[in-house]
Amino acid sequence: MSGFVQGKTKGGGSWTPKFVEDLNQKACIGCGRCFKVCPQGVLNMIGITEDGDIVDAQDDDAEKKVMSIANGENCIGCQSCAKVCGKSCFTHAALAA
C-alpha cells in the first residue's frame, strides 16, 4: 500500500476512501440532501441565529438552517455527501496508514 488506507473494488481495482474533514456552512443552503444520502449518520441539521449562535434547527430564533458534522468518526469515506451537494460544501481527505 502507498501509505494510505486502501480498499479493493469488486473488480479488483484499488480504492482510497476519503473521509469528511470540513463542511463550509457559509455556502450550505440547508437542503438536507447530504443528510439523506449519508449511510452512517455523520451529519446533522443545526440552526444559526442572526448573531451567529448555534441553536437547534427547530428553534424559532434560527435565522438559517445548515448542516454540521455531528459524528465525523462514523464516516466511511464514501463521499456520497459531496456527490449530492450542489454547493460544493464538503472537503474530504484520505487517512494515512
Side-chain angles (χ1 to χ4, degrees):
M1 294 206 323
S2 63
F4 292 94
V5 174
Q6 287 189 337
K8 293 285 184 187
T9 65
K10 184 177 181 180
S14 294
W15 175 70
T16 302
K18 292 184 180 174
F19 302 92
V20 67
E21 290 283 312
D22 192 36
L23 191 163
N24 181 348
Q25 290 180 333
K26 289 184 180 183
C28 179
I29 60 171
C31 68
R33 291 188 300 195
C34 56
F35 177 82
K36 291 176 186 173
V37 75
C38 179
Q40 295 300 112
V42 172
L43 306 169
N44 190 39
M45 186 77 72
I46 60 169
I48 298 181
T49 67
E50 191 175 298
D51 296 329
D53 296 328
I54 296 173
V55 296
D56 184 86
Q58 304 306 318
D59 192 308
D60 290 338
D61 291 333
E63 176 83 12
K64 178 181 178 184
K65 294 178 183 179
V66 297
M67 207 52 61
S68 69
I69 301 171
N71 301 298
E73 68 280 358
N74 291 347
C75 182
I76 60 172
C78 68
Q79 301 176 69
S80 292
C81 53
K83 291 173 185 170
V84 299
C85 182
K87 297 297 180 179
S88 301
C89 295
F90 292 92
T91 303
H92 291 79
L95 291 182

